[in-house]
Amino acid sequence: MREFATFEERLSEWTIESMKSVFGLERSDVHLGVTPTNNEKFGDYQCNAAMELARTLKKAPRQIAQEFVDAAELPDFVEKIDIAGPGFINFFLSNRALAEHIELLENDPHLGTEQLGQGKTVIIDYSSPNIAKPMHIGHIRSTVIGNAIDRLYRFLGYKVVADNHLGDWGTQFGLMMIGFRHFVNEEALQEAPVEELERIYVASYNKSKEDETWRDKAKAELVKLQQGDAENRALWERFIKLSIEEFNTIYDRLDVKFDLYRGESFYNDRLPKIIESLEAKGLAKESDGALIVDLEEDGMPVCIVRKSDGGYNYATTDLATVEARIEEFDPERIVYVTDERQQLHFKQFFAISGKLGLDANLVHVWFGLMRLPEATFSTREGNVIKLAALLDEAESRALEMVKASSPEMPEAQQKDLAKAIGIGAIKYTDLSQNPQSLVTFTWEKALNMEGNSAPYLQYAYARISSVYDKFHAQFPDADIEKCPIVVEHELERRLAIKLSRFPAAVHGAADNYRPNIMADYLYDLAQIYSSFYQNVPFLKAEEGVRESRIRLCRSTARTLRQGLGLLGIETRERI
C-alpha cells in the first residue's frame, strides 16, 4: 500500500481480504470493496457486498453482513462499523486517523493523488481552429474542456502531448491565394491579421460565385500550392504564421499551452500509403469514381477515403495522423475533443483505424454546443461571436464588479483581478456542466458571487487567505507546525473527510473525461468550509485548537487552489 493511499483504497483492500477470509472465497466476481456513502449519518464508507453474495452463499444479505461484522477485526483507522437496511455495511473512520491523514497530505505535492500515469504518454487533440479564420464562441468548449483534461492527466503523472490539429489545407486556400493578391489591405493586415484574411476569403469567395474564370484561377493557384510552388508555399506559410500568432493571443489570455501545432498538411505525404494499406487489406473499394470503406456491418454508412477528383477526406488524414502519432510517441491513448456533430466521423474513423491495426486506444470526448441568449452580448457581428470579444466582455464586466467592491484597490491590481474573475467565470460556466450537455451562457450565472460559480470559489479561497493573515497578525510568534491537527468538531470532521477525497475527484474527472466532477467536488468543499467558517471559532479558540483549525484552513485553501488550477482557473489572495 502506497504512503498516501486514500481511505477508500485502504478500506477496500481490507474488506476484500476480510470477505475472502470470513467466507472462504478464493475468488469472487462480486465487488467486495467500499464506496463513499451519500449520507454521512450512515457512515463515511459503505460496502454492499452482502446483497451481491446472497446467491453465492445462499444466505440472507443481513445475515451475511452480521457474520462479517462479528468475525472481522477492524483496521485501526476505523472507529466503528454497523449494519443498515437489508445488509449495507457502514464504516465510520476514526477522528485520529482523519487528522493524521490530513497531516500526511500536507507533505504531498499531489495531495494524495496516485501517479498512475508514470511512464505513459497521452495525446490530447483539442481546440483545432481553421487557419485564416478568427476563433469564435464555437471554439471555447473544445479549448477549455480539452485543456482541463490535459491538466488532469499531467497531474496524474502522464506525459501529455497537447496537439492543436489546425485546419490548414483544402480548396479554400486557392481562393485565399488569388484573393490575397487582389484584395489585401496591408494596414488592416497589420492591425488584425486573421480578420483581414477572413475578409479576403469572403471577398474572393463572393467573386467566384459571380465570375467562373475567377473560380478557375483559384483552382489553378491551389494546384500550384499542392505541387510545391515556392511563391504560393511562402504565402500559405505566411497565412499560417499570422493565424497562429493571433490564436496565441487568445490562448495566452486563457492560459492554454500546446506542445504541437500540426495541421492537416503535416500528414499529406502519408495519405497515398494509407490508401494503399486500405486496398491491400481489402477494406477500400471504388464507388462512382470514389474510394470508400463499407461500414455497413459496423452499423454505419460508407466512409469516403478518396473523392472522385482524387482528393482525400478528413478520415484519411485522421488515419495518417494516428499512424504518425503511434510511430513518434507510442501513446497509451489518444483523446479527441470536438463537438457532438462529429460523432459519426469519429465512429467511422475509429472503426477503420482498428481494421488497419492502428491500435492506440482512441477516445472521442464530444460536447454539446454553447449558446448565448439573445440580448446578453453587446458586440455581435452577424451571427458569429468572436472569442476575443467574449473575453473582452468578461473582463469588462468583472472589472465593474471589482471597482464597485474594492474602489481603493490600485488600478493595475483591479485589472489583474478582473482578468482572473472574468476568464475564470467563462471557463467554470462551461466546466461545471456535463460536457455532453447544451450550455446556455448567461453573465448573471457566470459572475454570481453566491452560487456555483468561479467567483464564488475564488472568493472562498481569498477568504481563507484573509483568515490566515489575521491569525499571523494576531499571533506573530505562533508556530502552527508544532501543533498537530485535531479533528473533534462535526464540521472539522466533514471538512477533513472532504479533503481526503480530493484524489477520487481527480481520478473521476480524468477517467470519465468530465471536468465537472472536479467542479462539483470544489463547490461541495467550499460549502462545507463556509459552514465551518461561520460556525466554528478560529482566532478565539483555545491555543492548540486554534492552530489546528488554521492548518485545516490552509489545507482547504491549497486544495481549492489546486483543483481550480486543474480547471485552468486562477486564484488571487485578495478579492
Side-chain angles (χ1 to χ4, degrees):
M1 183 70 67
R2 62 194 179 87
E3 182 182 5
F4 299 108
T6 65
F7 284 116
E8 186 172 346
E9 291 168 339
R10 293 160 67 186
L11 197 49
S12 288
E13 183 178 283
W14 178 82
T15 56
I16 290 168
E17 293 305 313
S18 298
M19 284 280 180
K20 289 179 178 178
S21 175
V22 171
F23 298 111
L25 303 171
E26 292 185 7
R27 58 178 299 278
S28 175
D29 295 329
V30 170
H31 175 62
L32 303 176
V34 301
T35 55
T37 55
N38 293 322
N39 189 329
E40 60 193 36
K41 74 178 183 179
F42 295 121
D44 303 315
Y45 291 92
Q46 179 177 283
C47 178
N48 303 333
M51 273 72 73
E52 298 184 59
L53 287 171
R55 181 175 296 179
T56 303
L57 299 178
K58 296 181 172 50
K59 296 178 182 179
R62 192 165 180 100
Q63 181 185 349
I64 294 171
Q66 191 63 58
E67 288 180 12
F68 175 75
V69 170
D70 291 342
E73 184 177 344
L74 290 180
D76 62 2
F77 56 88
V78 174
E79 182 70 30
K80 67 175 182 175
I81 183 172
D82 67 18
I83 303 169
F88 299 112
I89 304 170
N90 298 328
F91 299 88
F92 295 78
L93 302 175
S94 76
N95 288 346
R96 175 193 53 78
L98 278 168
E100 290 175 353
H101 189 72
I102 301 305
E103 289 202 349
L104 269 178
L105 297 186
E106 283 194 329
N107 298 314
D108 181 22
H110 296 99
L111 302 177
T113 307
E114 187 174 3
Q115 300 297 283
L116 294 175
Q118 291 291 338
K120 300 175 184 175
T121 297
V122 171
I123 297 173
I124 305 179
D125 182 326
Y126 64 99
S127 195
S128 306
N130 290 320
I131 293 299
K133 292 183 179 179
M135 293 179 71
H136 54 77
I137 192 173
H139 293 106
I140 189 69
R141 297 210 76 189
S142 176
T143 304
V144 168
I145 294 169
N147 184 247
I149 295 170
D150 176 343
R151 290 168 181 265
L152 286 161
Y153 273 86
R154 288 181 200 270
F155 189 70
L156 287 168
Y158 287 86
K159 176 187 176 183
V160 174
V161 179
D163 190 351
N164 199 345
H165 189 74
L166 302 168
D168 69 347
W169 202 248
T171 55
Q172 72 271 25
F173 284 99
L175 288 167
M176 284 294 303
M177 298 286 169
I178 189 171
F180 188 87
R181 293 185 174 109
H182 284 78
F183 303 128
V184 67
N185 179 325
E186 286 291 346
E187 186 176 331
L189 191 68
Q190 291 294 322
E191 291 181 5
V194 178
E195 286 193 16
E196 174 62 7
L197 291 178
E198 183 183 46
R199 186 195 68 79
I200 290 167
Y201 172 75
V202 171
S204 186
Y205 175 80
N206 289 339
K207 188 169 178 63
S208 74
K209 290 295 184 183
E210 305 163 1
D211 184 350
E212 192 169 325
T213 62
W214 187 268
R215 288 201 301 272
D216 292 338
K217 291 175 182 176
K219 288 179 183 177
E221 294 296 334
L222 178 64
V223 170
K224 286 169 65 178
L225 172 65
Q226 292 170 337
Q227 292 176 345
D229 176 78
E231 185 179 345
N232 278 15
R233 178 85 185 185
L235 191 55
W236 171 75
E237 288 175 350
R238 187 181 180 194
F239 297 159
I240 294 173
K241 182 176 181 292
L242 289 170
S243 298
I244 290 178
E245 286 175 353
E246 190 156 321
F247 295 158
N248 279 339
T249 64
I250 298 288
Y251 295 135
D252 287 345
R253 295 177 72 179
L254 292 171
D255 192 24
V256 170
K257 296 178 177 62
F258 292 94
D259 300 295
L260 296 176
Y261 286 85
R262 286 185 180 170
E264 298 160 18
S265 63
F266 185 84
Y267 306 97
N268 280 348
D269 293 345
R270 290 177 173 267
L271 301 182
K273 181 186 170 188
I274 290 294
I275 296 298
E276 289 175 13
S277 297
L278 289 168
E279 291 179 319
K281 288 182 177 288
L283 297 172
K285 62 182 181 182
E286 282 201 23
S287 175
D288 296 328
L291 201 64
I292 64 165
V293 176
D294 190 344
L295 296 171
E296 185 178 352
E297 291 184 1
D298 297 277
M300 290 178 281
V302 300
C303 178
I304 299 174
V305 291
R306 190 177 65 202
K307 295 181 285 189
S308 57
D309 64 1
Y312 300 101
N313 273 20
Y314 287 125
T316 322
T317 301
D318 282 341
L319 289 167
T321 304
V322 169
E323 180 185 62
R325 287 169 170 170
I326 290 173
E327 289 176 8
E328 184 174 357
F329 299 106
D330 187 26
E332 188 266 342
R333 74 187 73 178
I334 303 175
V335 180
Y336 300 82
V337 185
T338 76
D339 73 54
E340 61 189 359
R341 295 170 296 184
Q342 298 188 47
Q343 288 181 79
L344 176 59
H345 165 75
F346 280 96
K347 287 177 182 176
Q348 290 180 315
F349 148 49
F350 287 2
I352 299 170
S353 183
K355 295 175 191 293
L356 279 177
L358 298 173
D359 301 317
N361 191 11
L362 307 179
V363 179
H364 181 212
V365 178
W366 60 269
F367 53 83
L369 302 178
M370 179 183 278
R371 67 182 183 188
L372 297 176
E374 290 301 318
T376 63
F377 200 75
S378 61
T379 54
R380 301 191 61 156
E381 297 180 21
N383 293 320
V384 178
I385 299 169
K386 302 291 172 60
L387 190 47
L390 179 69
L391 301 184
D392 289 344
E393 182 89 358
E395 291 189 34
S396 175
R397 287 173 179 259
L399 185 58
E400 290 178 13
M401 291 171 53
V402 172
K403 285 182 175 180
S405 62
S406 304
E408 77 293 342
M409 185 181 286
E411 184 179 358
Q413 190 177 347
Q414 286 180 334
K415 289 182 177 180
D416 173 69
L417 183 54
K419 177 179 181 294
I421 291 174
I423 302 299
I426 289 176
K427 288 186 176 185
Y428 191 84
T429 300
D430 185 331
L431 297 173
S432 61
Q433 302 188 56
N434 187 322
Q436 295 181 359
S437 63
L438 171 70
V439 174
T440 300
F441 181 91
T442 66
W443 293 112
E444 292 73 24
K445 181 179 179 182
L447 294 169
N448 186 356
M449 292 294 293
E450 302 297 329
N452 184 7
S453 67
Y456 172 79
L457 295 175
Q458 290 167 319
Y459 179 68
Y461 173 80
R463 185 164 61 179
I464 300 173
S465 297
S466 69
V467 169
Y468 201 66
D469 288 346
K470 287 175 184 176
F471 170 79
H472 281 293
Q474 193 167 333
F475 305 98
D477 299 325
D479 184 358
I480 65 172
E481 309 305 332
K482 291 182 178 179
C483 298
I485 292 177
V486 178
V487 173
E488 291 181 346
H489 193 283
E490 176 192 352
L491 287 170
E492 289 174 331
R493 196 174 197 287
R494 287 183 62 200
L495 189 58
I497 288 170
K498 195 67 182 180
L499 290 170
S500 75
R501 291 179 178 170
F502 175 74
V506 175
H507 287 291
D511 293 347
N512 295 286
Y513 309 101
R514 284 179 51 189
N516 64 296
I517 292 174
M518 175 55 67
D520 290 344
Y521 169 86
L522 295 173
Y523 181 56
D524 289 346
L525 176 62
Q527 287 191 305
I528 293 171
Y529 175 79
S530 182
S531 295
F532 178 58
Y533 176 80
Q534 292 170 13
N535 295 289
V536 177
F538 286 71
L539 303 183
K540 294 182 180 180
E542 63 187 72
E543 187 176 357
V545 173
R546 178 178 62 222
E547 284 74 16
S548 169
R549 289 174 179 170
I550 292 298
R551 288 184 70 180
L552 276 173
C553 285
R554 185 174 66 181
S555 291
T556 304
R558 185 178 172 217
T559 304
L560 281 171
R561 182 173 186 171
Q562 181 65 76
L564 286 169
L566 292 175
L567 299 180
I569 296 171
E570 296 180 333
T571 52
R572 295 291 185 269
E573 308 297 315
R574 300 285 176 272
I575 287 186

